[in-house]
Amino acid sequence: MRYVKTAAVASLVSLFLAGAVRAEDLKGSIQIKGSDTMVNLAQAWAEEFSKNNPGVNAAVTGGGSGTGIAAMIAGTADIAISSRTMKEKEINKAKQNGIEPFEIKAALDGLAVVAHPSNPVSQLTIDQLSDIFTGKIKNWKEVGGNNLQIVILSREINSGTHVYFKEHVLRKGDEKSFEEFSPMALLMSSSQAIAEEVSQNPNAIGYYGMGYISPKQKVISVAKDANSPYIGPVIENVQDNSYPISRPLLLYTKGQPQGIVKAFVDFALSTEGQEIVKKTDFVPIK
């Protein structure tokens, strides 16, 4: 059973009404750490928040969702940014440290599957993706591409993106599945590293949050199965949940947000904060 406290947008009204702090009264610093998928978004939030609140220094660093959650549990981060939900063992460790994790959905994201622009393959099913990333399909010609050995690129295991892709693509949402990434998969340190490698390697396939999409990579449309339509990772398809690899982007705090942390969360969920979500190519929750 999960014990982490959660907050949907509607239930956050209490956060806005309780203990509002005037901008001129805000002083201090916030440490925000975690998801590499979210780091550019969090940085954009932090920059604008600091402009509005010059007495506050908001520092943002990446390292992966697991790293951010561990820092929040250890007390070295005020906010963990995460592209996955906390694991049961993380929740238990937080409680052992006297922390009640508070979960806030701050944005939505679609995971883009990408290949080199020269690759003729433009659409794949979840089954095909599972077989590619587990190593069952080894050559692009098996899915209608060129006679080239597939080079698999994945995020590292501390990445929330890695965990989400494994659970929802490799394992197809089946909690009883034990599918793992192929031993031949190259584990990359960041989403940007995947983007750069895919843009240079005609054999490569990788995945990252849709905020990293660029013309230097080819975005693959994805279908739930062979009888379903192929859908691309664009805002409308993530909002209506038609894109098969969609997920929430989360903030975790040590208990219900207070003071400067609350002010930052309020800003991220505000109209201005959600416009920043859209500008950084993620999907607003409203």
Side-chain angles (χ1 to χ4, degrees):
M1 179 178 178
R2 293 178 58 81
Y3 292 95
V4 63
K5 293 184 178 180
T6 62
V9 177
S11 69
L12 281 169
V13 173
S14 62
L15 292 183
F16 288 95
L17 296 179
V21 184
R22 295 179 302 174
E24 59 266 30
D25 294 335
L26 287 174
K27 297 187 188 311
S29 62
I30 313 174
Q31 294 292 326
I32 303 163
K33 189 174 183 66
S35 167
D36 285 312
T37 295
M38 294 180 69
V39 72
N40 291 340
L41 170 59
Q43 187 63 53
W45 277 334
E47 288 174 4
E48 200 60 34
F49 180 75
S50 294
K51 284 181 188 176
N52 298 340
N53 303 278
V56 177
N57 175 41
V60 179
T61 54
S65 299
T67 300
I69 290 169
M72 186 271 292
I73 292 171
T76 57
D78 301 294
I79 299 174
I81 49 177
S82 182
S83 58
R84 64 165 174 83
T85 55
M86 286 182 69
K87 299 175 182 176
E88 196 69 39
K89 63 182 179 181
E90 293 169 331
I91 296 168
N92 292 336
K93 188 170 183 179
K95 288 178 175 291
Q96 290 170 9
N97 286 3
I99 293 170
E100 289 281 349
F102 192 83
E103 179 186 283
I104 302 148
K105 183 165 71 173
L108 303 171
D109 185 25
L111 281 188
V113 178
V114 290
H116 190 270
S118 67
N119 195 322
V121 175
S122 59
Q123 54 190 38
L124 292 166
T125 66
I126 292 290
D127 283 343
Q128 288 173 319
L129 287 172
S130 178
D131 286 348
I132 287 171
F133 280 90
T134 55
K136 296 181 181 73
I137 292 176
K138 301 181 184 299
N139 194 297
W140 279 109
K141 68 180 181 181
E142 297 178 64
V143 289
N146 297 323
N147 184 16
L148 294 172
Q149 196 79 6
I150 297 174
V151 174
I152 301 167
L153 305 179
S154 172
R155 287 298 316 281
E156 295 172 317
I157 59 173
N158 70 330
S159 160
T161 305
H162 171 106
V163 173
Y164 188 89
F165 199 84
K166 178 171 70 175
E167 291 176 350
H168 292 269
V169 177
L170 276 65
R171 298 179 178 177
K172 307 171 196 174
D174 182 0
E175 294 181 359
K176 296 180 180 179
S177 172
F178 294 97
E179 294 283 12
E180 292 287 347
F181 283 92
S182 165
M184 301 302 292
L186 303 178
L187 301 184
M188 311 298 282
S189 61
S190 67
S191 296
Q192 187 59 43
I194 288 179
E196 290 173 1
E197 180 63 25
V198 168
S199 69
Q200 299 169 20
N201 190 337
N203 297 46
I205 187 170
Y207 59 90
Y208 49 51
M210 58 190 283
Y212 285 86
I213 291 174
S214 89
K216 295 180 180 180
Q217 299 92 37
K218 180 177 188 175
V219 178
I220 305 293
S221 295
V222 179
K224 292 179 182 178
D225 53 54
N227 298 317
S228 299
Y230 291 91
I231 307 292
V234 298
I235 286 178
E236 295 79 8
N237 297 338
V238 173
Q239 284 179 324
D240 68 14
N241 206 34
S242 62
Y243 182 64
I245 321 175
S246 302
R247 61 180 176 170
L249 299 179
L250 306 167
L251 307 178
Y252 283 102
T253 59
K254 296 172 280 188
Q256 186 164 309
Q258 303 291 331
I260 300 174
V261 172
K262 175 189 177 300
F264 184 89
V265 170
D266 287 354
F267 174 76
L269 297 174
S270 70
T271 300
E272 187 178 0
Q274 291 297 296
E275 274 300 312
I276 291 172
V277 170
K278 197 169 181 179
K279 286 177 182 176
T280 49
D281 296 319
F282 292 109
V283 181
I285 52 176
K286 299 180 182 179

